[in-house]
C-alpha cells in the first residue's frame, strides 16, 4: 500500500505552507517529540551533528538534566542549539509552542500505559489522539514534513505464515482472524493509519513519511533504553536459554539516519520505510554472536534453545508471557530494500548492532555483578 502523494501537490503553495527550500537547510529548527526516548535521543544526536537546531518535548521539565546527560554520553554538548518544551500527547497545552518556527518534526513520542493489565483502549486512544494532535499542530504552524516513528508492529501482526519477507506494502491485520494481535501492535497500526488519513483529508500540503523499525539495538545512553535492548541485557545477565523467537534487528544510529533521510529527501514524501539491517535472526543466533564477540563479558550467556512447552509454562498467566508464546517458531523476516533503494540508506550489519548494544551495557555498568 503506497501513500505517494507526488510532488505536485496544489496545496503546497498556500500561504501557510510555502515549502520553498532554503539553499542551506542546516540551521533549520527541528522538533523531536518525546526527548527521553531511546530513538529520539539518537535522532537529536544525528540532527546536532548535521548542523540543525533542535527542540524537544518532555512530559516533565524535571527530566531535562537526564536528557542532557544522555546526549553527553553520545558525544554531544548542544549548548543553545537544543531547547525544551513541556508538552504531553494527551493534552493540547504546549504543542503550539513546540512546533512554532520548526521546519520539520520527528514524531516518535508514544504514550505507553503502565502495568501488564492496561486495557486495549489505554493503548489505542492515546496513540491515535497523540499522532493527530502533533500533525494538527505541525500543519497549523507551516511545518514542511513530519517523519512519524511507527513500528514493525504496524506491519507484521495478525498474519499467517509468510512465504516472503514482510515489506512496506504489508499492514497488520488487527481483526484477529489469523493470529493474536497485542494491544501495542493494534495501537501502532491504528495510529499510523490515522496519520495517513489525516494527511489525505486534512493535511493541506503537510508532508508525511513513516519509519517502521524492527527490534532497535545499538548503544545505550543510560538506563532508560528500549524494550529491545532488554533482550541483550537479559542474555548477558544469564537468562536460562533462548526461546525459539525470531526478530529483525537494526542499530538505533541507523534508525536515526533513516529519519534524517526521510525528513529531507523529496522521494520520501508519502512513503513508509521499514528499518531492518538484514535477515531476521533467532534468539540463539544473537546469543551465539555475543559468545563469539564479547569474551568474558558474555560468560553468562546461554546458547541452548528452550523448549516451547517450557516457555509457555513460564509465561502462563501474564499478558507478556502470552505474547511471547504467540511468537514461538514464527519467522518474522522483513526487507529493508526500499530504504536502501529510494534513500541510499546503508545500515550497519546485524552483528555490529548486537555487539554495539552489549559493549554499551558493559561500559555503562548496566549488567548485574
Amino acid at each position: 500500500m503506497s501513500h505517494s502523494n507526488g510532488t505536485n501537490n496544489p496545496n503546497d503553495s498556500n500561504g501557510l505552507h510555502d515549502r520553498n527550500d532554503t539553499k542551506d537547510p542546516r540551521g533549520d529548527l527541528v522538533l523531536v517529540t518525546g526527548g527521553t526516548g531511546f530513538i529520539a535521543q539518537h535522532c537529536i544526536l544525528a540532527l546536532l551533528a548535521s548542523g540543525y537546531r533542535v527542540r524537544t518535548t518532555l512530559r516533565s521539565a524535571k527530566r531535562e538534566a537526564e536528557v542532557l546527560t544522555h546526549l553527553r554520553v553520545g558525544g554531544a554538548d548542544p549548548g543553545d542549539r537544543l531547547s525544551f518544551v513541556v508538552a504531553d500527547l494527551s493534552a493540547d497545552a504546549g504543542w503550539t509552542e513546540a512546533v512554532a518556527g520548526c521546519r520539520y518534526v520527528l514524531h516518535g513520542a508514544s504514550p505507553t500505559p503502565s502495568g501488564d493489565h492496561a486495557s486495549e483502549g489505554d493503548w489505542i486512544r492515546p496513540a491515535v489522539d497523540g499522532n493527530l494532535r502533533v500533525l494538527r499542530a505541525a500543519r497549523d504552524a507551516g511545518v514542511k514534513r513530519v517523519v512519524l516513528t511507527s513500528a514493525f508492529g504496524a506491519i507484521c501482526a495478525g498474519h499467517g505464515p509468510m512465504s516472503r519477507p514482510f515489506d512496506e506494502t504489508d499492514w497488520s491485520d488487527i481483526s484477529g482472524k489469523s493470529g493474536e494481535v497485542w494491544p501495542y501492535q493494534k495501537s501502532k497500526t491504528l495510529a499510523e493509519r490515522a496519520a495517513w488519513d489525516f494527511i489525505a483529508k486534512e493535511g493541506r500540503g503537510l508532508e508525511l513519511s513513516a519509519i517502521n523499525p524492527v527490534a532497535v539495538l545499538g548503544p545505550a545512553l543510560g538506563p532508560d533504553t528500549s524494550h529491545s535492548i532488554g533482550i541483550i541485557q537479559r542474555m548477558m545477565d544469564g537468562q536460562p536459554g533462548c526461546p525459539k523467537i525470531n526478530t529483525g534487528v537494526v542499530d538505533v544510529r541507523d534508525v536515526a539516519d533513516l529519519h534524517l533521510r526521510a525528513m529531507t529527501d523529496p522521494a520520501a514524501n508519502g512513503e513508509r520505510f521499514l528499518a531492518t539491517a538484514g535477515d531476521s535472526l533467532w534468539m540463539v543466533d544473537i546469543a551465539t554472536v555475543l559468545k563469539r564477540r564479547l569474551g568474558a563479558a558474555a560468560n553468562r550467556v546461554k546458547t541452548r534453545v528452550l523448549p516451547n512447552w517450557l516457555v509457555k509454562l513460564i509465561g502462563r498467566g501474564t499478558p507478556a508471557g502470552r505474547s511471547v508464546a504467540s511468537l514461538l517458531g514464527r519467522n518474522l523476516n522483513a526487507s529493508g530494500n526500499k530504504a536502501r533503494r529510494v534513500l541510499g540508506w546503508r545500515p550497519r550489519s546485524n552483528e555490529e548492532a548486537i555487539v554495539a548494544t552489549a559493549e554499551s551495557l558493559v561500559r555503562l555498568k548496566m549488567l548485574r555483578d
Side-chain angles (χ1 to χ4, degrees), residues 27-31 53 55 95-105 137-138 140-144:
D28 277 341
L29 181 60
V30 181
L31 176 68
R53 293 179 299 124
R55 182 183 292 149
W95 288 106
T96 300
E97 183 187 354
V99 295
C102 291
R103 186 164 184 76
Y104 305 106
V105 173
D140 293 348
V143 166
K144 177 180 172 61

Side-chain angles (χ1 to χ4, degrees), residues 229-243 282-288 290-291 297-302 354 361 367:
I229 282 186
I231 295 169
I232 308 296
Q233 202 166 15
R234 287 188 295 274
M235 285 184 179
M236 301 281 285
D237 279 342
Q239 73 177 25
C242 302
W282 295 96
M283 290 293 147
V284 69
D285 300 329
I286 295 173
T288 302
L290 293 172
K291 290 295 272 187
N299 280 349
R300 292 196 184 106
V301 176
K302 311 286 193 302
I354 293 164
L361 295 175
L367 301 170

